[in-house]
Amino acid sequence: MTSETSALNHSSPPPAARRLALGLSSNAWPLLQRLQQSGLTDQLALTPGAAAAIADRDGTCLVNSASLLIQQHWQEGGVLMVIGATGAVTRLIAPLLTEKGSDPAVLVLDAEGQRVIPLLGGHQAGAEQWSREVAAALGGEAVLSGDSAVSGRLATDTFGHAWGWKRGGASANWTQLMKAQARGEATRLIQTMGSKLWQSSSAARASKLLGLDAEADRAIPTLEISTSIANEGACTWHPALLWLGIGCERDTSLNLVQRAVHSALAEAGLAEAAVAGISSIDRKGDERALQELAQLHHWPFRLHTATALTAVPVPTPSEVVAAEMGTGSVAEAAALLSAGDNGQLKLHKRITHANDDERGAVTVAIAESIEAYSPQQGELHLIGSGPGDLALLTPEARSALERCPAWVGYGLYLDLLEPLRRPDQIRLDGQLTMERDRCQQALSLARQGVRVALVSSGDSGIYGMAGLALELWLDLPEDDRPRFAVHPGISALQLAAAKAGAPLMHDFCTVSLSDRLTPWEVIERRLKGAAKGDFVVALYNPRSKGRDWQLQHAKTILLAERPASTPVVIARQLGRQEEHVSFCRLDSLPVESIDMLTVLVIGNSSSRLEGGRMVTPRGYPGAELS
């Protein structure tokens, strides 16, 4: 044992990382670095023998025996990625196996990252999903052998997490349901609340979930999606739809508030897992027990003014409360106001008084909203799908697509990605000019807790959906914002340049000729500036049936400032089977044959066409390259 290892063994273990990547040999080091650079791990680790052979590792990498490292980071909800032999990893984790509900996700990778195997926790710990995302990011393959994945059925015991729901029901019930589906037997679906979009997936249809009457034979394994406490024998997913309206005396004890909430939920037959948040009057914003309750359960805490609460019709207003708080209702009105339009009161206010060891009094009411609210679980991923060829899709974008059960985008762009869509993923097609509607739909789903991919062609940050989506996201209150991420793609400009040679080696700009969102006067001014500045110019959206004159005008503007012989790249249907790239002189640009599927790259005064390639020198004649 090395002195370094001995020192580690006799010190307190470091805090467990949620995602540990462990290399069993020195060959694993390059892949460990890739995992870290891709944001797929929180902590790197090596065995002493592996670490001894690596000179460039930094001090943040943990070094210890593999068994100790795995033991220290063995935690429910954790992810262990081990680079090594499957048999070796199996022997290392065997002594730690207890009950599968508490297992972490254990992934085994080869040193090249070509194969990712979910060894343990495939469903409940999310190892299968993690394997897909890691493999996509590394350009490898997830090796899945689970029955649901192989047969194209829905993993009914895990799919709800990606929709922002929480699971209920006994483990034995879930086991019975999964076994029944594996045998091809009919199972029952009861969904009273929450988004039903998931039912349109081919995996859901293959799972033989029959929408039988709620009073049908209860011996049939049942999947229920509702806010209610799980029926005996049922497997339940709970969307976050319940709002708890709470009023209390000053300095009421936390234990009393918790007891009142549990009692109210039980009386109404509602599940705590379906709670979206708590709500009260703004004067209770500093109430310690309510703050602690929200923090304990990770519930948002909404506050409303007395004026806003007074405007809400409630069944049991109180004159005493009105005299004290300036509104006849706190609990009921706050619950309904937070539940939003068409929210329904599920439990009228209930008052709970303190026991001997408690202080204060608590009033609780419960309202149910129409739309789930779980932005802390939701994710909005802006995907740049590239020009069309799946080989040009970036690993980061591919990994994000693997993560999302719902894809939103223009139908043509989703068609190009269709070979990557799994049976459990749905697509929501939009119309070409309805960008705002698509952004709002995607953002609405993400606020409900869904992981959503909003797809643009090329790069979503270049004439794509990222800007509009971000504006709408920023318009939301900070607590209402789901996770937001933009994943870069290869733009049509980049692919056109690569196909043509090297036309972008000096300063360049892009100009869209569409005046649907930008006045033509502004576009014209930009074209004149680009022409006078001798920029290489890429023209997007050059010509359509309803917009057939702008390209000729742009050609005239550019010809006024650069030679007629300036080379032009005409790139059409890039990255698709119909791809065609050609060249012409600026003065002979065939305006009538150009359409919206074409990108033009117009050289500057020093660009030239030679050997079937277009090149723009990095500098002008007489200038020294640096």
Side-chain angles (χ1 to χ4, degrees):
M1 179 180 291
T2 66
S3 59
E4 180 180 19
T5 305
S6 178
L8 282 168
N9 286 344
H10 287 86
S11 62
S12 298
R18 181 173 179 269
R19 300 177 299 171
L20 177 76
L22 167 62
L24 301 184
S25 71
S26 59
N27 292 335
W29 184 242
L31 182 56
L32 287 175
Q33 292 178 301
R34 288 177 62 192
L35 290 169
Q36 187 177 54
Q37 291 164 1
S38 300
L40 295 170
T41 180
D42 304 318
Q43 178 66 61
L44 301 184
L46 287 165
T47 60
I54 300 168
D56 64 342
R57 64 181 176 85
D58 60 37
T60 63
C61 179
L62 301 179
V63 179
N64 213 322
S65 70
S67 59
L68 279 174
L69 285 165
I70 290 175
Q71 183 179 352
Q72 291 169 357
H73 292 81
W74 191 269
Q75 58 179 326
E76 184 177 348
V79 181
L80 296 173
M81 291 172 272
V82 187
I83 303 170
T86 304
V89 180
T90 301
R91 287 190 291 273
L92 285 167
I93 69 173
L96 302 173
L97 299 179
T98 53
E99 197 276 320
K100 72 175 186 178
S102 61
D103 290 335
V106 179
L107 280 56
V108 181
L109 294 78
D110 66 276
E112 299 298 322
Q114 293 301 302
R115 301 289 184 272
V116 185
I117 302 170
L119 184 64
L120 185 70
H123 280 201
Q124 292 192 34
E128 285 190 356
Q129 182 60 31
W130 271 106
S131 296
R132 293 186 182 107
E133 294 176 34
V134 171
L138 298 176
E141 176 186 2
V143 183
L144 307 181
S145 57
D147 185 72
S148 298
V150 171
S151 62
R153 288 187 293 102
L154 194 68
T156 48
D157 59 342
T158 61
F159 86 98
H161 292 305
W163 289 86
W165 305 337
K166 293 183 180 178
R167 210 176 81 158
S171 296
N173 298 342
W174 286 100
T175 299
Q176 181 186 13
L177 176 68
M178 298 300 290
K179 287 182 176 179
Q181 291 182 330
R183 292 191 296 264
E185 297 172 3
T187 49
R188 177 173 59 167
L189 170 66
I190 301 174
Q191 181 169 8
T192 58
M193 300 299 294
S195 172
K196 296 183 179 181
L197 289 173
W198 68 274
Q199 295 186 29
S200 66
S201 71
S202 60
R205 294 193 296 271
S207 298
K208 296 186 177 180
L209 288 163
L210 305 178
L212 302 179
D213 183 83
E215 299 303 320
D217 182 7
R218 292 191 177 276
I220 298 176
T222 301
L223 175 67
E224 184 173 350
I225 301 171
S226 73
T227 56
S228 301
I229 296 172
N231 293 315
E232 183 178 355
C235 305
T236 311
W237 284 108
H238 298 296
L241 291 157
L242 301 178
W243 285 94
L244 308 180
I246 305 177
C248 64
E249 293 181 357
R250 179 60 66 185
D251 295 326
T252 293
S253 60
L254 174 62
N255 185 68
L256 174 57
V257 175
Q258 289 180 305
R259 185 164 62 84
V261 166
H262 293 158
S263 175
L265 288 167
E267 180 181 348
L270 298 171
E272 183 179 292
V275 173
I278 65 174
S279 182
S280 190
I281 192 168
D282 54 5
R283 286 172 58 181
K284 291 297 178 182
D286 61 349
E287 192 69 50
R288 188 178 182 86
L290 299 187
Q291 292 174 340
E292 291 178 350
L293 179 72
Q295 293 170 1
L296 184 65
H297 293 278
H298 304 287
W299 288 336
F301 183 12
R302 285 187 175 175
L303 298 170
H304 306 285
T305 65
T307 302
L309 294 172
T310 300
V312 180
V314 296
T316 55
S318 166
E319 293 183 3
V320 174
V321 173
E324 176 71 21
M325 306 301 292
T327 175
S329 172
V330 172
E332 290 176 340
L336 285 167
L337 200 56
S338 292
D341 295 340
N342 300 314
Q344 294 186 342
L345 206 59
K346 302 296 288 186
L347 181 73
H348 293 184
K349 66 181 182 183
R350 295 292 188 268
I351 301 174
T352 304
H353 296 282
N355 291 329
D356 292 341
D357 58 344
E358 298 170 335
R359 298 185 311 275
V362 183
T363 304
V364 178
I366 305 174
E368 186 177 73
S369 61
I370 296 298
E371 190 172 278
Y373 178 84
S374 189
Q376 68 276 17
Q377 300 295 325
E379 300 174 9
L380 181 56
H381 295 269
L382 277 294
I383 307 293
S385 64
D389 186 347
L390 292 179
L392 299 175
L393 185 66
T394 63
E396 183 179 319
R398 190 181 290 258
S399 182
L401 285 169
E402 285 281 4
R403 184 167 178 77
C404 298
W407 296 3
V408 179
Y410 174 49
L412 174 62
Y413 304 154
L414 295 181
D415 287 343
L416 296 171
L417 296 174
E418 186 64 17
L420 300 180
R421 189 166 66 94
R422 299 191 311 270
D424 62 313
Q425 294 174 311
I426 67 166
R427 55 180 282 176
L428 301 171
D429 293 32
Q431 298 180 16
L432 182 60
T433 58
M434 307 297 286
E435 290 90 352
R436 179 173 289 272
D437 289 350
R438 294 203 296 277
C439 286
Q440 289 174 332
Q441 181 184 33
L443 189 55
S444 173
L445 286 171
R447 291 179 68 232
Q448 294 174 47
V450 186
R451 299 200 294 255
V452 186
L454 180 55
V455 177
S456 301
S457 65
D459 183 298
S460 65
I462 302 177
Y463 300 124
M465 306 290 283
L468 179 55
L470 181 56
E471 288 183 61
L472 293 172
W473 183 84
L474 290 170
D475 284 342
L476 295 172
E478 190 169 344
D479 290 344
D480 284 2
R481 297 172 184 170
R483 178 188 170 196
F484 184 96
V486 180
H487 305 279
I490 294 177
S491 68
L493 167 65
Q494 290 172 285
L495 186 55
K499 297 285 185 178
L504 303 180
M505 297 306 297
H506 213 300
D507 297 337
F508 65 90
C509 66
T510 65
V511 179
S512 170
L513 295 188
S514 173
D515 57 0
R516 190 169 67 88
L517 298 175
T518 305
W520 174 253
E521 294 76 15
V522 175
I523 297 172
E524 184 177 42
R525 187 164 65 248
R526 291 172 178 171
L527 284 169
K528 290 179 178 178
K532 290 182 179 297
D534 201 29
F535 285 89
V536 176
V537 180
L539 296 181
Y540 278 70
N541 306 312
R543 188 173 181 273
S544 67
K545 290 181 179 179
R547 210 174 23 78
D548 58 2
W549 58 269
Q550 286 91 338
L551 179 56
Q552 180 60 53
H553 200 67
K555 174 182 173 181
T556 301
I557 291 172
L558 292 169
L559 279 171
E561 300 291 343
R562 61 192 63 184
S565 60
T566 300
V568 179
V569 181
I570 305 174
R572 189 175 187 277
Q573 290 275 40
L574 285 165
R576 304 168 192 175
Q577 287 186 338
E578 302 86 355
E579 178 184 293
H580 182 73
V581 178
S582 60
F583 303 93
C584 69
R585 289 165 47 111
L586 179 56
D587 64 348
S588 59
L589 176 65
V591 172
E592 298 298 323
S593 66
I594 305 300
D595 60 17
M596 288 288 285
L597 299 176
T598 305
V599 172
L600 302 175
V601 181
I602 301 167
N604 67 11
S605 61
S606 65
S607 301
R608 67 179 188 274
L609 189 63
E610 186 176 335
R613 295 289 187 271
M614 178 176 166
V615 61
T616 299
R618 285 188 59 198
Y620 288 88
E624 182 178 343
L625 294 180
S626 60

